[in-house]
Amino acid sequence: MDSKRLFRTAFGLGLAALMLFACDKPFEMNLPLAVNSHKLTFESAAGSSHILIWSDGNWTASFGREINWGSLNKLEGFGNSDLEFTYSANYGVTRSVELILTKAELRDTIVLVQKGAVSGDNVSLSFKSPALTLLRNGYSVNAPITTSLIYSTEMIVPQVEFFDADGVSQGVVVAGKEVPDTLHVIPWISNMAISSEDGLHLSYDVAENAGSDARMAVMSINVEAADGTLYSSRQTVTQGIESPALELSATEGEYSGFNGAYTVAANANNVYPYTQFLSVESDAEWITGAALTANGLVFAVTRNDTGAPRTGNINVTFNDGAGTTLTARYKISQMSYPGSISFTDVRALSDGVIDQDKYIEGFIVSDPASANVCQSPQTAQFKFDFEENYKTAYIESVDGRYGFRLKFETREDNVTERWSRVRINVGGLKLVRQADPLCFTLEGLTAASIIETVSAPDEFLVPAKKKTVAELSDDDIYTLVTLQDIEIMCKDGSYTNCTDGYSIKDATVNPLSGATSPRWDTAPLLMSDKSGNVIYMLTNAMVPWRRNGTTYGNGSEVVAQGSGAYRGIITAEELVRYGELGRYKIRPMAQTDIQLSNPAFSKTIVEWNWNDKQTDVKPEIGDGTLNLYDATLAANADFNSMMSHEYDKKGQAGLIPNGALLATRKWWNFAEDRGEYFDISFSTAGISGSNLIFGIVWNHGQMNNTTLDSPAHWNLLYSIDGGSTFKPVPDAEMIKNRSIVWWTTTSQDACPGFKDHLRKLPAECFGKDKVILRMQVADKVTDKAPATAAASYLTNLGIEQASLTDKATGIRIGTITVRYN
């Protein structure tokens, strides 16, 4: 059915309705002036609508104000008729207009409302500058505006409020309205209007300031949507008593061959608001965007691919047409665009500031938004530079062979998206070499150091390095590597086995931390591969997913249970709190980098983890014996809880009451001058494989500075003849037991929780009815609390700084496990 038939039908129904109201009287259509609705609302898309009018004579139609988004098909008519209102699409806020109908002295109004495409936080409206300082001269001013309402500029209403010298309002003048009688000052700002010529701006005239003092007003731009929402912005305008002045701080400058944007500061510059009197011109096409702003002379240069240096000039002229002319000239010398320098050649340079104006090209493999880029350096007792993480990035060479750590001046400089292929100007950067392991850092970067983004972020363009732990080399440091056949050793908790009572307090990540003075930032988690090789995953305290884990079918929420690929940045960081962590570590940028979706490749022979919170030596998995001999056993806390656990909400985030075992005894036999021990016994009868491993998760101390004196050094021995003879496990490093952080005078080398250890057992331990592993104290080395921790905190260490005494001390064990594959 076409629109005319629709109208005839609707009109007929309207007539029929009126006839019904007339009951049994003869029908008479004798309405002087009436409409079918006093408010009509339309969608934001373009369209049209018919409006029914009843009248017994001539009538006229008009809008209450001039609009550019709607029209009527006629402006007058006779008798019962209709109007067609046609409107364009509304890409701005909700708008409205009054449609006024008149017949002689009669008048009726219909409000026409059209919904907008934007609202709320999607609307922006602001002056480009919050304040403007003007000359005493009487000039016209153009104040630039930025807004998302480019299709609603006719709705922007300017106004000005004048103030006296004491800051007291003298009244308000609204554009398009008469000056109110209540205004207590001569309006020295007038003719306000929104203009889109040469960019959107508010133009107005300013009268000359003939007085001896500056005067002040506040300009406002306001948009009131039809739904009543008001959007506005303000700009303070101060008219001083100065005459025009223009002087740049320099008359010439030399620039690199890279494309870039620059600013030349001005010694004097109060003419920049008067764009109508300003001429800023360059005599070279490669100089672009030249303009005079509040910050000075701004301009950009394109890349110089000519192979030779070039020069150009910018000429600035101010001429008000009333006898004042000012000029400034700036000469630009641009060097030729340099060639590239390889990662190999940069690594071969001497340490220090690089004096070659060249660029490296590679992929940014870190994420500037990740909280796990690097550890935060400790600057003093209980103080960390948490900004360091967000000022650090990693770039990998195009071929994937080498990587550099990048240190930016501020976190605002480090904004390049992950997977971007970029060129970085190394000229002026500082090269820092770490000798063992060999790796390199470039320091002093700013946003301008990224001279070009060669390609938009594309993960699949980055070389896919896949390696085993054994295949890692120093060349891989600061590159992205996917490790193959990886699994997490201790699977019964979170990614950080640390108490959040000592981590940085944060409303989002660590809301339950009690530490406004934090003791730690980064924690390691041990991972192993099918060959029994290990690497530590590093995770920062501010990582939001470190206690989220993964929920499995049995309802448990723990770290990834399976095996598979693990992607991350290889680093060479040292964590003083944890001691030796191996030559290489790995940092994921996100939890999705941990893809351990295959079944676990290792099988557990026996494991004690005290997850049942029972103070005993019965294994939770498998069969075996844990003999602590005459040690006194007690329950103690573990630190690997998940965020969902009930006790996290009691100010003890991370701490699991009774989730670990405390074993207390005299650990050194002073009479025989030897260390005491405990034994782990199990059977491997009928079991064969490639690797048999022993893992222990532990530390010592009761989180106070009087319980740090437990043995620090332990040797791992084994017996396969029933305990008649014990031999050192071949190639097994001494296992260290470190003290856990305490509240007062905490040393910076104390651990915030437990540390994981894994040792590979000899192949002859397979297929035995009984294997005994012995953990024996190696020497009398123990820990102490530094006496003056706050005074010389960064160098005053307590770990391994004391000797055992002839008294009982405690060790804390979170997990003991024996596995094979």
Side-chain angles (χ1 to χ4, degrees), residues 576-580 699-700 708 712-713 736-742 747-751 781-786 796-802:
V576 177
R577 295 190 179 282
Y578 288 92
E580 299 83 356
N699 268 336
H700 70 261
L708 310 179
H713 296 162
K736 294 189 176 182
N737 187 283
R738 301 172 69 83
S739 63
I740 298 172
V741 290
W742 59 96
S747 168
Q748 75 149 338
D749 54 350
C751 283
V781 174
T782 186
D783 306 328
K784 69 176 182 179
N796 191 11
L797 307 181
I799 300 301
E800 302 174 316
Q801 300 295 310

Side-chain angles (χ1 to χ4, degrees), residues 255-262 284-289 299-306 310 332-337 451-452:
Y255 300 89
S256 74
F258 305 114
N259 58 303
Y262 304 97
E285 292 183 356
W286 51 272
I287 302 174
T288 62
F299 63 92
V301 295
T302 61
R303 196 170 81 182
N304 183 4
D305 291 320
T306 64
R310 59 188 180 185
I332 299 169
S333 299
Q334 187 187 29
M335 304 302 292
S336 177
Y337 187 73
I451 60 171
E452 186 176 350

Side-chain angles (χ1 to χ4, degrees), residues 82-394:
D82 77 313
L83 281 175
E84 185 176 9
F85 173 57
T86 302
Y87 46 91
S88 60
N90 184 8
Y91 300 104
V93 296
T94 303
R95 58 191 178 189
S96 66
V97 67
E98 289 184 342
L99 174 60
I100 301 171
L101 301 171
T102 60
K103 173 183 176 291
E105 73 282 358
L106 299 178
R107 177 188 176 102
D108 210 342
T109 301
I110 305 173
V111 179
L112 306 177
V113 179
Q114 186 183 21
K115 297 178 181 178
V118 296
S119 62
D121 294 339
N122 295 323
V123 177
S124 63
L125 177 67
S126 64
F127 287 101
K128 285 190 176 181
S129 174
L132 202 59
T133 300
L134 305 177
L135 303 174
R136 70 180 308 147
N137 304 56
Y139 292 143
S140 296
V141 174
N142 294 324
I145 296 170
T146 58
T147 182
S148 60
L149 303 177
I150 57 175
Y151 298 100
S152 302
T153 55
E154 78 282 353
M155 297 177 66
I156 302 177
V157 179
Q159 71 175 39
V160 59
E161 184 174 10
F162 298 97
F163 292 86
D164 65 12
D166 297 322
V168 178
S169 176
Q170 300 299 293
V172 176
V173 176
V174 179
K177 296 186 178 181
E178 294 183 359
V179 176
D181 296 335
T182 55
L183 192 67
H184 300 303
V185 66
I186 296 175
W188 49 275
I189 292 178
S190 59
N191 299 325
M192 296 174 288
I194 300 297
S195 174
S196 57
E197 185 177 354
D198 297 326
L200 191 66
H201 57 267
L202 169 63
S203 65
Y204 52 88
D205 295 332
V206 179
E208 181 180 357
N209 183 5
S212 59
D213 297 314
R215 54 190 181 186
M216 192 265 284
V218 174
M219 305 295 302
S220 300
I221 46 176
N222 308 288
V223 172
E224 184 174 5
D227 61 5
T229 304
L230 181 65
Y231 306 97
S232 63
S233 180
R234 291 159 59 91
Q235 182 184 64
T236 301
V237 178
T238 303
Q239 186 182 25
I241 57 174
E242 296 177 344
S243 299
L246 174 62
E247 180 186 1
L248 298 179
S249 60
T251 58
E252 61 181 318
E254 186 176 75
Y255 300 89
S256 74
F258 305 114
N259 58 303
Y262 304 97
T263 300
V264 180
N267 296 329
N269 173 24
N270 56 18
V271 298
Y272 70 90
Y274 305 100
T275 55
Q276 71 274 30
F277 303 140
L278 277 171
S279 171
V280 184
E281 298 178 342
S282 64
D283 58 13
E285 292 183 356
W286 51 272
I287 302 174
T288 62
L292 191 66
T293 71
N295 297 321
L297 176 64
V298 298
F299 63 92
V301 295
T302 61
R303 196 170 81 182
N304 183 4
D305 291 320
T306 64
R310 59 188 180 185
T311 59
N313 299 282
I314 298 176
N315 297 300
V316 183
T317 302
F318 174 83
N319 187 344
D320 63 3
T324 301
T325 301
L326 304 173
T327 61
R329 183 181 179 90
Y330 189 73
K331 180 181 178 181
I332 299 169
S333 299
Q334 187 187 29
M335 304 302 292
S336 177
Y337 187 73
S340 65
I341 184 171
S342 68
F343 280 53
T344 301
D345 289 343
V346 172
R347 288 161 60 100
L349 296 174
S350 300
D351 285 15
V353 177
I354 300 173
D355 60 2
Q356 301 185 40
D357 204 18
K358 294 185 177 181
Y359 68 84
I360 56 172
E361 184 171 333
F363 293 98
I364 298 296
V365 291
S366 54
D367 185 348
S370 174
N372 205 44
V373 179
C374 70
Q375 65 177 308
S376 301
Q378 191 154 8
T379 56
Q381 188 174 26
F382 313 146
K383 294 186 182 300
F384 293 80
D385 181 5
F386 289 105
E387 287 290 290
E388 186 77 3
N389 178 85
Y390 301 102
K391 295 189 293 186
T392 302
Y394 301 103

Side-chain angles (χ1 to χ4, degrees), residues 21-48:
F21 285 123
C23 299
D24 57 351
K25 293 184 178 180
F27 173 71
E28 294 181 6
M29 192 60 173
N30 190 26
L31 297 175
L33 182 66
V35 295
N36 62 328
S37 176
H38 285 90
K39 183 177 181 180
L40 298 174
T41 302
F42 311 106
E43 297 301 319
S44 61
S48 63

Side-chain angles (χ1 to χ4, degrees), residues 420-551:
S420 299
R421 182 169 175 170
V422 300
R423 290 179 176 177
I424 295 178
N425 181 8
V426 298
L429 302 183
K430 182 180 180 181
L431 179 67
V432 179
R433 178 193 313 266
Q434 178 179 310
D436 189 24
L438 183 63
C439 54
F440 299 83
T441 300
L442 292 171
E443 297 181 349
L445 284 85
T446 66
S449 300
I450 310 292
I451 60 171
E452 186 176 350
T453 299
V454 179
S455 66
D458 189 338
E459 178 179 352
F460 300 102
L461 294 178
V462 180
K465 296 174 68 173
K466 296 181 179 180
K467 292 193 172 187
T468 64
V469 174
E471 292 171 338
L472 292 175
S473 72
D474 289 2
D475 291 353
D476 296 311
I477 297 175
Y478 303 144
T479 70
L480 183 71
V481 176
T482 298
L483 296 178
Q484 305 299 297
D485 297 323
I486 287 288
E487 70 175 11
I488 293 171
M489 190 197 83
C490 190
K491 302 172 182 289
D492 65 342
S494 67
Y495 292 99
T496 50
N497 194 342
C498 299
T499 170
D500 277 338
Y502 292 91
S503 69
I504 182 65
K505 189 176 183 65
D506 179 80
T508 302
V509 180
N510 302 322
L512 302 173
S513 172
T516 53
S517 302
R519 271 69 165 173
W520 71 280
D521 168 64
T522 304
L525 181 69
L526 190 63
M527 304 187 300
S528 61
D529 65 10
K530 283 187 176 180
S531 299
N533 298 305
V534 301
I535 189 169
Y536 283 95
M537 160 188 169
L538 301 185
T539 309
N540 291 345
M542 290 297 289
V543 170
W545 48 265
R546 66 185 179 86
R547 290 198 187 277
N548 291 350
T550 304
T551 302

